[in-house]
Amino acid sequence: VEQLEAALLHEKMEGEAIGDVGAARQVVKVEEQGLARVEEVHAMRKELEESSSQVGDLRAQLAMKEGVARRLEAVLSEESQALAMTKAKLEEVESTAAMAASDWQRGLQVAEADCQLSTWQAQAAQHNLEEMVTELQEEVLVRQKQAVAQCTSRHEMQTQKLKA
């Protein structure tokens, strides 16, 4: 009986040991799965940290590019203002040039009119001089005739005096 009891106790212990081994195997499987999950979580955390680092780098790059974009917008705004001022100045210069050309044209027309007037005045003066020369020539002829007549008259008087 004792041997039977010992055999039963041995079988019972073996069964419990087998059950304990099975339970231990189950626990080991669960622990291995838990460990695998922990490793997955660590890998995910590492990827997340790397992604966070990359996001931080990308944010820094984005901030730099936004700064560059703001500076470019400021430069573009300044250039647009300068272009608008240049355009306004060009329009002002064109307007001034158009007025100067118009004034020059009017001045040219006035100069042409003055030239024509001077031409007419010169022609009138020449005509007047020609008339004066003609009048003077006529007067000179009259005086020459008078002088010749006087000389002739004196000469005749002297001739008569000499004859007498």
Side-chain angles (χ1 to χ4, degrees), residues 131-144:
E131 285 181 4
M132 287 173 65
V133 165
T134 303
E135 288 174 5
L136 287 174
Q137 286 174 343
E138 289 173 358
E139 190 174 322
V140 165
L141 282 175
V142 167
R143 287 188 183 178
Q144 282 177 346

Side-chain angles (χ1 to χ4, degrees), residues 2-3 13 40 44 53 65 67 71 77 86 90 93-94 104-105 107-109 112 114 120-121 128 140 142 145 148 160:
E2 281 186 18
Q3 275 186 343
M13 287 175 105
E40 283 180 28
M44 286 181 181
S53 174
K65 288 180 180 180
R71 286 192 299 273
S77 175
T86 301
L90 179 61
V93 167
E94 286 175 343
W104 183 82
Q105 185 66 30
L108 182 61
Q109 290 170 349
E112 287 174 350
D114 283 347
W120 291 337
Q121 287 173 341
N128 287 342
V140 165
V142 167
K145 287 179 183 177
V148 167
Q160 286 177 2

Side-chain angles (χ1 to χ4, degrees), residues 26 49 59 64 76-77 102 108 124 128 140:
Q26 190 66 25
E49 287 173 357
R59 283 186 178 155
M64 285 175 29
L76 181 61
S77 175
S102 176
L108 182 61
N128 287 342
V140 165

Side-chain angles (χ1 to χ4, degrees), residues 108-126:
L108 182 61
Q109 290 170 349
V110 167
E112 287 174 350
D114 283 347
C115 184
Q116 185 63 43
L117 180 62
S118 295
T119 301
W120 291 337
Q121 287 173 341
Q123 289 172 347
Q126 182 180 359

Side-chain angles (χ1 to χ4, degrees), residues 6 20 24 47 52 61 81 95 100 123 132 134 142 162 164:
D20 285 346
E47 286 179 20
S52 294
Q61 289 178 2
Q81 289 174 354
S95 173
Q123 289 172 347
M132 287 173 65
T134 303
V142 167
L162 284 173

